[in-house]
Structure formats: C-alpha cells, structure tokens
Amino acid sequence: MENIFEIVTIKSLSDNYIWLLRNNVKNLTAVIDPSDDKDVNEVLLLKNWHLNQIVNTHHHFDHTNGNLKLKNKWKAELIGPEEEKDKIKNIDSYVSDGDKIEIAGLDALIIHTPGHTLGHVMYYLKNEKILFAGDTIFSLGCGRVFEGTMHDMFYSLNKLKELDPKTLIYCGHEYTENNLKFALEVNPNNKNLKTFSKKVYKLIDAGKPTVPSLLEDELECNPFLQTENDEISNYFDKDKLEGLELFSKLRELKDKF
Ligand code: ZN
Ligand code: FE
C-alpha cells in the first residue's frame, strides 16, 4: 500500500538539505527551503510530481535561492515568514507565529523561532509528528545566532520542549558529525549521547544522511537543550551555570570549535 505522505531528502550545495513533502492522497507536493531549483526539478520530473508550494523557514540564500525559478516553472505558491518579507522576494502567503496553514494538504502550525534570523519560523505538522526546523535546531546542535540575541535563540529552542517527543526533526544542514564532537567534548559521560553517537557513525559510514533526528533523542543528547546539565555546567565553571547563561557559554564556544 502506498503511504499517505512521504518525504524525499535532497542534498544540495555542500551540506544543505532540501525537503520534498508529498501527499499521495491529495496529489500535492511542497518543497521546503530550496537552495537550488535544479536539484528539486530532477526529483519532481523523475517522480512525475507537480510542485504546488514552496516553503521558506528564513531568508538566507541557501534556503531560498531556488524560489523564483521553481515558482515560475510550476506556478507554485511561495510561503514565507511575514517578518522577512523585505528580504524574501515574491512571497504569496505570509506566515507568523501561531498561524495554521496546510502544506501539501497537511495541517501545519507556524512556530516563530528568532535567533538565527529575526523572522525565522519552523513548520510543525503535529498529526504526522514532523518538524521542518530550518536553521534553528540541528542534530546535536543549533543555528548560529546571527540576527537575534542569545536570549532569542534560547527562548526559541525551549519551544521545542513543548512538542511531541516522537517528532522527527527535518533540519536545514548536515552538521551532525561536528556537532557530535562538540557534544562529546562538553558532555563526555552522557550515556544516551554515547549510544546516539554509534547510530550517527553507522549512518555516516554508510554514506547516509544523519537526519531527520528524533526530538526525544535531541532532548537527551543535544547540549543546547541540556542547560540544566551539571556535567556541562562543570565543563565551564565550578559554580553552577544554567539556563540562558549556560546556553550562551555553549554557543560562544561552539562558534570557535
Ligand atoms: Zn541560515
Ligand atoms: Fe542555512
């Protein structure tokens, strides 16, 4: 039997992921963060799918560069954050925090996650337990804080804790190996992390993507979601650091790692 929906992973540029979400019942297809049009068209033509929607998490070129060509070729609807309408051209439908839309005919909730960029949003498909996270969270890491403050990013990452732990996180980049090295550096005795590490290296050795990852695993292993962890705190200071303070230390250290 055919699945109701499927997600195709498209590798792009050096380490980007473009996600193609296909609804097989409604015959609708959406692309999330197309860094390029050719990579996407190749899959669409091969599968004989029509592209209905283009969805952006934030304005960076490695998430939007394919927008215009795809929009023109397929007459697809372009969806992007209202707060970035000056930075993303040709948006048809603006989204903001709390909005409910359909992506490829599936219900999606918009979650505003400022930090990496000011208007960054994630798309949460609660029924399917899918999160298109852009550059907010990566497996074992988080996005660089470019436009927002440390506080913004910390607040954004904390929103993940309210989602179903069985959610699969589809992030924007393959950064897992480097993130894993950093996580093991600051949190070497985390048993869950060691187990997770074996899974990650199995995938890497097989030449496979390490994402999507399960939110449940990220909650246990991702240092940026572990800001109450004593071992991580001790790595920086003998006095206990927690919350925003520990998050900021982690993010600053990771920038140089
Ligand atoms: Zn970005
Ligand atoms: Fe990016």
Side-chain angles (χ1 to χ4, degrees), residues 143-195:
R144 280 179 190 258
V145 179
F146 284 130
E147 296 176 8
T149 61
M150 288 290 186
H151 179 271
D152 288 336
M153 195 56 156
F154 178 65
Y155 155 88
S156 294
L157 287 171
N158 275 305
K159 289 186 173 181
L160 288 158
K161 297 180 180 172
E162 287 150 34
L163 311 184
D164 188 323
K166 297 291 180 199
T167 300
L168 281 172
I169 302 173
Y170 292 81
C171 62
H173 292 269
E174 178 62 62
Y175 289 157
T176 315
E177 190 173 12
N178 181 268
N179 288 341
L180 173 61
K181 287 175 184 159
F182 180 76
L184 285 167
E185 163 83 14
V186 296
N187 196 14
N189 295 310
N190 181 337
K191 286 202 185 79
N192 295 320
L193 179 59
K194 285 181 192 170
T195 309

Side-chain angles (χ1 to χ4, degrees), residues 16 58 60 62-63 116 135 138 172-173 175:
N16 272 82
H58 65 294
H60 286 157
D62 63 317
H63 299 253
H116 181 70
D135 288 357
F138 302 120
H173 292 269
Y175 289 157

Side-chain angles (χ1 to χ4, degrees), residues 11-77:
K11 292 191 118 187
S12 185
L13 306 181
S14 58
D15 48 38
N16 272 82
Y17 282 121
I18 304 171
W19 306 107
L20 211 54
L21 174 64
R22 168 69 179 180
N23 184 327
N24 286 316
V25 175
K26 297 185 177 172
N27 285 326
L28 293 171
T29 310
V31 68
I32 291 87
D33 284 353
S35 45
D36 185 64
D37 63 304
K38 285 184 218 76
D39 300 336
V40 177
N41 283 329
E42 219 171 273
V43 179
L44 289 169
L45 295 173
L46 195 76
K47 299 265 192 184
N48 201 15
W49 292 344
H50 178 87
L51 184 69
N52 304 94
Q53 292 168 311
I54 303 158
V55 180
N56 290 163
T57 58
H58 65 294
H59 68 83
H60 286 157
F61 84 98
D62 63 317
H63 299 253
T64 57
N65 227 14
N67 280 358
L68 193 55
K69 281 188 178 160
L70 287 171
K71 183 175 154 147
N72 289 340
K73 181 177 168 77
W74 299 97
K75 306 285 170 259
E77 174 195 20

